[in-house]
Each structure stands twice: as structure tokens, then as C-alpha cells.
Amino acid sequence: MVRIGHAVLGEKGTKICVPIVGTTMKEILDATAVACNTPCHVVELRIDYYERAHSIDAIIELLMLIKPQLKGRALLFTWRTKGEGGEKSISTHDYFTMLERLIPTGLVDAIDIELFFDQDRMLKTIEFAKVHGVTIVMSNHDFHGTPSHEVIVNRLIQMKDFLADVPKMAVMPHTTGDVLTLLEATAEVKALYPSDPIITMAMGPLGAVTRTAGALFGNAMTFASAGKASAPGQIDVHELKRILDTIDVDGVFDKQQHKRVKVH
């Protein structure tokens, strides 16, 4: 069982996360208030949008103001780097120093750590997070295309090997075949780890089906917008909730449900 705050991933349907992408404190607090009046389970603070993101003290001050607004919802803290579609660059040292300052504060329920960072430094931070009960979402984003089936599977498994609680991968499809590649890779990894949550999505208009029906293939959480989107193809949170109420599945599977069976 993996939790982000009170949200149990992989049980009782797909969880909805709404990203907050304001640049000023007021914009962020206003957007958080809006998000917390929607049917989302998790709020993601995309701190790389914040104008004072390079000050850890400013981040902590902001988080202290956000915490009372959450109304019991979980907070996922994310600095998306420039190389993976984010707004600001950050050094490896500053990235992990920031996360290690935040982990013991009790102000974040989960942190996002990108896969392609210094492995020794990353493992140290993951161990520190686990001591403090902070969930690790390990991520990789390709805003240009869709890697092969094998690459997607291998990256998600690599995240598991790094002891991530929730592997996450997002790709940019250019064909319907790319969408199928992402979904098939998701199902394969879910078959290997049937009790563990994973998050995958294909971005843009072609990928909308992965945001709405991804749980059928093993996806545990989907991202929706409540105003400004943080990635191409995010659906309005209220519209997404209506879709999920119609087609969502529980998200808990055994191995056989994710295996391809050949019929002769």
C-alpha cells in the first residue's frame, strides 16, 4: 500500500492530482484555493514556476501558507528541471539540498525526484525521505517523442530498483501507435508489480485516453487542470471527474489481467 497523504494509490479508482503553476505567492495561494474546491485527491506544487524558487526559506514560508488551504488533501512537491519540460534550471547540489531541507518539515507528503540525476546523491535523499515517511515519486518526461516499449519498461523498472514508491513516466505521442506503446508498457510493468502503483501518461490530444482510462492498464493517478495546465493535454478536473465516474476501474489487478494471451 502506497499513500500520498490520505490518498491510497491503486485502490478505489484513479486518484486525481491538480498541479499548481503560479509564479507569485498570491497566484499560488489563489490557485491552491481553487484546486482544493475541486474533486482532486492530491495537489502538486510545481515550485519551478515560483519566482522565489531558488530560496529554500521562501519555499518553506510558502508551504506553511499552503498547508492550511489543503483541506486534508495531499501535497506533492515538484521541481521540474529545464531538461524535462520545467521552467528553471537547478544544480544537482541545490536540488537535493532543497529536498532534504523540506523532507523533515511535515509540509510535504510526497516529493518528485527525476530519474536522471546523480545516483548516489539520489539514493541518499530517498533513504532520508523514507525515514520521515515522505513518499517518493520518481519521474521521467519525454516532451519530444515516445521511447520504445523496452525503454519505457526498463526506465520504470529502474525506478523501482532505486526504491521509488511510485514510478512515473510521461511521453509525447505522435501516432496512435505511440499511445498503444505507452499503454502496453504500463500493463507489462503492472504485471511485474501487481500490488504497486505506477503513473504513466501520454501527453497532448492523442494521449487524452491515457489520462481517462489509464487505470485499466495499471495507472494509479492522473493529472488534471484547475485553470492553467502544467503539461499538454491535461483535462479540466471537473470534466475528468465526470469521465472517471463513468469509465474508471478499481486499479487493483492480479498478474493475469495484465498479460497478453494469444488466441489461436
Side-chain angles (χ1 to χ4, degrees), residues 187-256:
E188 181 172 330
V189 175
K190 187 64 177 176
L192 295 172
Y193 304 96
S195 300
D196 298 342
I198 54 177
I199 300 172
T200 65
M201 68 210 70
M203 297 178 283
L206 278 175
V209 65
T210 68
R211 297 183 183 276
T212 58
L216 185 62
F217 300 86
N219 182 43
M221 188 164 76
T222 188
F223 289 71
S225 63
K228 186 177 179 182
S230 66
Q234 284 177 359
I235 301 168
D236 174 79
V237 59
H238 297 286
E239 183 62 27
L240 182 61
K241 180 63 164 59
R242 285 192 288 270
I243 296 169
L244 291 177
D245 284 346
T246 302
I247 68 172
D248 203 13
V249 294
D250 190 25
V252 179
F253 300 93
D254 61 35
K255 293 180 181 179
Q256 294 303 317

Side-chain angles (χ1 to χ4, degrees), residues 65-86:
L65 295 172
I66 288 174
K67 187 75 171 178
Q69 289 190 311
L70 295 175
K71 300 178 181 178
R73 289 170 177 79
L75 182 70
L76 167 61
F77 180 89
T78 300
W79 183 308
R80 182 67 59 238
T81 64
K82 270 278 194 184
E84 298 214 8

Side-chain angles (χ1 to χ4, degrees), residues 16 72 77 84 87 127 145 151 153 158 177-178 193 202 216 220 235 248:
I16 300 175
F77 180 89
E84 298 214 8
E87 294 295 299
E127 182 180 356
V151 168
V153 169
Q158 187 178 8
D178 290 341
Y193 304 96
L216 185 62
I235 301 168
D248 203 13

Side-chain angles (χ1 to χ4, degrees), residues 6-263:
H6 296 300
V8 180
L9 301 187
E11 291 187 0
K12 298 181 180 178
T14 309
K15 299 302 181 286
I16 300 175
C17 179
V18 169
I20 304 298
V21 293
T23 58
T24 67
M25 180 179 286
K26 184 179 187 308
E27 287 176 356
I28 291 170
L29 294 176
D30 288 349
T32 302
V34 171
C36 291
N37 281 298
T38 73
C40 73
H41 306 87
V42 179
V43 171
E44 179 186 36
L45 176 58
R46 279 288 304 275
I47 200 66
D48 51 294
Y49 279 84
Y50 185 35
E51 62 185 5
R52 299 185 64 195
H54 285 287
S55 167
I56 299 176
D57 289 339
I59 291 173
I60 291 174
E61 179 186 4
L62 175 64
L63 287 169
M64 291 178 68
L65 295 172
I66 288 174
K67 187 75 171 178
Q69 289 190 311
L70 295 175
K71 300 178 181 178
R73 289 170 177 79
L75 182 70
L76 167 61
F77 180 89
T78 300
W79 183 308
R80 182 67 59 238
T81 64
K82 270 278 194 184
E84 298 214 8
E87 294 295 299
K88 292 182 178 67
S89 300
I90 187 171
S91 70
T92 297
H93 175 269
D94 289 348
Y95 183 84
F96 287 106
T97 298
M98 170 189 67
L99 293 179
E100 290 172 4
R101 277 279 306 276
L102 297 179
I103 284 167
T105 63
L107 297 172
V108 298
D109 299 293
I111 57 174
D112 180 292
I113 297 180
E114 292 178 4
L115 172 63
F116 294 117
F117 261 110
D118 177 83
Q119 293 182 8
D120 291 338
R121 194 74 175 83
M122 181 168 64
L123 289 171
K124 178 184 174 185
T125 300
I126 291 171
E127 182 180 356
F128 188 58
K130 289 183 180 295
V131 168
H132 289 277
V134 174
T135 302
I136 298 294
V137 178
M138 188 170 288
S139 64
N140 176 237
H141 302 74
D142 190 329
F143 277 80
H144 303 291
T146 301
S148 69
H149 177 102
E150 291 75 19
V151 168
I152 295 173
V153 169
N154 288 339
R155 287 182 186 175
L156 291 170
I157 291 174
Q158 187 178 8
M159 294 173 193
K160 292 293 299 180
D161 291 342
F162 284 139
L163 302 180
D165 297 300
V166 191
K168 175 192 173 190
M169 189 155 180
V171 304
M172 181 63 74
H174 296 292
T175 68
T176 54
D178 290 341
V179 177
L180 291 173
T181 294
L182 184 280
L183 292 174
E184 287 185 338
T186 303
E188 181 172 330
V189 175
K190 187 64 177 176
L192 295 172
Y193 304 96
S195 300
D196 298 342
I198 54 177
I199 300 172
T200 65
M201 68 210 70
M203 297 178 283
L206 278 175
V209 65
T210 68
R211 297 183 183 276
T212 58
L216 185 62
F217 300 86
N219 182 43
M221 188 164 76
T222 188
F223 289 71
S225 63
K228 186 177 179 182
S230 66
Q234 284 177 359
I235 301 168
D236 174 79
V237 59
H238 297 286
E239 183 62 27
L240 182 61
K241 180 63 164 59
R242 285 192 288 270
I243 296 169
L244 291 177
D245 284 346
T246 302
I247 68 172
D248 203 13
V249 294
D250 190 25
V252 179
F253 300 93
D254 61 35
K255 293 180 181 179
Q256 294 303 317
Q257 285 171 288
H258 281 302
K259 286 185 176 178
R260 185 191 295 269
V261 178
K262 292 184 178 179
V263 179

